[in-house]
Amino acid sequence: MTQYHPLTEPEAIEFARTIPNLFQPGADLVSREIGDGNLNLVFHIQDRHSSASVILKQALPYAKVVGESWPLTLDRARIESEVLQLQGKLCPTLVPSVYTYVPHLSLTVMEDLSDHMIMRKGLMEGNQYPLFADHISTFLAHTLYYTSDLGMNQQDKKWQVKQFINPELCKITEDLIFDDPYTNSPNNSFEEAIRDEAEALWSDSQLHLEVARLRHGFLTNAQALLHGDLHTGSIFITAQSTKVIDPEFAYYGPMGFDIGAVVGNLLLNFAGQEGLSETDEKRAEFRQYLLETIREVWTGFEVKFRSLWSSHSTDRISRTPGFQDMYLKQLLQDTFGYAGCKMVRRVVGLAHVADLDKIADTASRERAQRIALAIGKALIKHNRQAASIDELLDIAKATIS
């Protein structure tokens, strides 16, 4: 296997045998292809007679959701592997271990997290995760601070920006999040029941102005090394453990984009409770849990980020009194805006979320979609005025009152 080609399951098994110190010679291995995303093959390889297992993730040269007519760079696999290893140094308990990367196959070999659940699925089932806010705020604070001009040598950071340049996957984000939902794009996908909402997006000039500003920030503000796609489908979780996966969209961009992705996806589940909860009482209880989690994510991030800045910054000018407060205010405002953009695109854009789409009852699904759009639009329009995370929670609550 000296040239790139998509692996078959038998080939994946034979490759797994070559990984040092993992499987016994002659082990009875079985493979399942478990990739449910749009861009990769993911093989789960396990010994039938022991607990030994591993994940092989191989990038495809095209998007599965469209096919070979949508080609994609294979370099994203290198980016993902290197970012996971960097994040592993900054937050060793919060990402899967990477065992090796095979460049000619665009193949990452990593820790199996089968004892965890995808967070989106867990939330849809009504599970609560009391440690999540602490874990993800630690991940955000450490990965964003230590890859920024605040937390690393500014010249080294410029070389790192070059290392993680990711134009093809950034282009997907630029189009699907910041452009297509606001025009009559053939990439859009929405149900006829909310066509009125979709068409209103296309003509809302106030909304377009704010999206243009946020898009400009995504294009130009190389603030920190982002995960780039930090939704609840990119988080494996248990009651005690949180693992962030799939940073193939990583690049240097505005910190609020990652924080907003987490917040926006929790709010999508908030909207989805319209059809996911069995009773009004359970719906109210779970929505309150989600809002408290959002509050804890932001406040935990802010406390930890400020602490890292105050304790570790060696840059004299960035320690000027007032600059830290100014910086965090802008991060909060960016978080509002990018959370809103994430929400809007998941209702009317190309790729949706199960929190909404899996609601069986048509009327409940429509209500959930309209709630999600109402929150998303309000966050986008309010982003430059935001001064407190409480304002975000109030916006969410106002859509269901």
Side-chain angles (χ1 to χ4, degrees):
M1 292 188 288
T2 59
Q3 291 185 328
Y4 175 86
H5 66 280
L7 295 180
T8 64
E9 287 193 298
E11 287 174 329
I13 288 174
E14 292 310 307
F15 182 87
R17 294 187 189 281
T18 69
I19 301 169
N21 306 315
L22 183 60
F23 298 115
Q24 294 295 320
D28 185 9
L29 302 184
V30 61
S31 169
R32 289 184 298 126
E33 204 286 301
I34 60 172
D36 60 355
N38 291 321
L39 307 178
N40 308 285
L41 296 173
V42 182
F43 300 97
H44 176 263
I45 313 291
Q46 185 171 19
D47 185 341
R48 292 181 191 269
H49 306 296
S50 79
S51 60
S53 60
V54 72
I55 293 293
L56 274 60
K57 181 175 180 180
Q58 184 181 34
L60 289 170
Y62 54 84
K64 285 196 294 185
V65 69
V66 175
E68 295 185 19
S69 63
W70 189 341
L72 289 172
T73 176
L74 293 173
D75 188 54
R76 69 184 195 275
R78 174 196 61 82
I79 290 174
E80 176 174 10
S81 175
E82 292 179 3
V83 170
L84 279 174
Q85 292 176 73
L86 175 57
Q87 292 170 342
K89 293 176 183 177
L90 299 174
C91 306
T93 65
L94 297 176
V95 295
S97 298
V98 173
Y99 301 139
T100 190
Y101 173 65
V102 186
H104 70 275
L105 290 174
S106 301
L107 182 72
T108 303
V109 182
M110 70 182 82
E111 177 185 4
D112 177 22
L113 298 174
S114 294
D115 57 334
H116 290 58
M117 174 183 284
I118 289 291
M119 188 177 184
R120 189 180 307 284
K121 183 174 186 291
L123 292 176
M124 289 175 63
E125 293 178 1
N127 298 331
Q128 297 188 20
Y129 300 103
L131 300 183
F132 168 71
D134 181 51
H135 290 169
I136 201 65
S137 61
T138 297
F139 175 86
L140 289 165
H142 283 250
T143 60
L144 298 177
Y145 175 80
Y146 281 116
T147 62
S148 74
D149 289 302
L150 301 168
M152 66 182 296
N153 176 275
Q154 287 93 347
Q155 281 62 50
D156 290 342
K157 182 224 173 187
K158 291 175 176 65
W159 286 108
Q160 197 156 281
V161 171
K162 177 182 177 182
Q163 179 184 354
F164 294 114
I165 199 78
N166 199 355
E168 289 194 9
L169 270 69
C170 283
K171 175 63 172 170
I172 293 174
T173 300
E174 291 153 19
D175 290 347
L176 298 189
I177 295 180
F178 298 113
D179 190 355
D180 291 341
Y182 307 100
T183 189
N184 187 12
S185 168
N187 291 329
N188 289 337
S189 174
F190 53 84
E191 296 185 53
E192 279 300 310
I194 61 164
R195 173 168 287 278
D196 61 315
E197 292 275 8
E199 292 183 350
L201 291 172
W202 304 343
S203 59
D204 190 334
S205 58
Q206 180 190 358
L207 191 67
H208 293 182
L209 175 61
E210 298 304 327
V211 172
R213 290 185 66 259
L214 291 160
R215 177 177 176 271
H216 182 72
F218 184 87
L219 290 169
T220 63
N221 187 6
Q223 203 168 27
L225 180 60
L226 307 187
H227 177 283
D229 197 26
L230 192 50
H231 54 76
T232 50
S234 294
I235 299 169
F236 268 115
I237 200 162
T238 70
Q240 302 298 322
S241 173
T242 303
K243 302 280 188 178
V244 176
I245 63 170
D246 292 352
E248 61 192 320
F249 279 77
Y251 90 114
Y252 261 84
M255 296 182 187
F257 188 78
D258 266 5
I259 310 167
V262 174
V263 170
N265 276 268
L266 292 174
L267 289 171
L268 285 166
N269 188 267
F270 175 95
Q273 292 305 315
E274 199 68 18
L276 297 173
S277 294
E278 296 176 356
T279 66
D280 291 344
E281 182 179 2
K282 289 182 178 179
R283 182 178 301 112
E285 177 188 347
F286 202 77
R287 280 176 164 163
Q288 185 60 34
Y289 155 72
L290 290 168
L291 294 182
E292 286 303 315
T293 298
I294 290 169
R295 185 200 306 275
E296 291 169 10
V297 169
W298 172 258
T299 56
F301 166 78
E302 181 175 9
V303 167
K304 294 166 188 176
F305 193 87
R306 286 183 182 272
S307 176
L308 291 171
W309 187 330
S310 299
S311 301
H312 298 282
S313 174
T314 59
D315 182 59
R316 180 188 61 81
I317 201 69
S318 70
R319 298 174 72 92
T320 301
F323 181 57
Q324 188 180 110
D325 291 340
M326 184 186 303
Y327 197 99
L328 268 293
K329 180 181 179 181
Q330 184 62 59
L331 281 190
L332 178 68
Q333 292 175 348
D334 286 351
T335 295
F336 272 60
Y338 289 123
C341 291
K342 286 282 192 175
M343 295 185 73
V344 170
R345 67 76 51 121
R346 291 295 191 179
V347 182
V348 301
L350 179 64
H352 293 184
V353 290
D355 312 62
L356 304 179
D357 280 9
K358 294 297 184 182
I359 298 173
D361 179 70
T362 303
S364 298
R365 188 171 63 251
E366 180 183 340
R367 288 197 304 274
Q369 291 167 340
R370 291 181 183 274
I371 290 169
L373 287 173
I375 297 172
K377 290 186 295 183
L379 292 178
I380 293 169
K381 290 181 177 180
H382 186 66
N383 79 94
R384 283 190 284 166
Q385 287 75 49
S388 166
I389 194 65
D390 290 335
E391 296 167 27
L392 184 147
L393 309 185
D394 289 342
I395 285 171
K397 287 185 282 190
T399 65
I400 58 170
S401 60

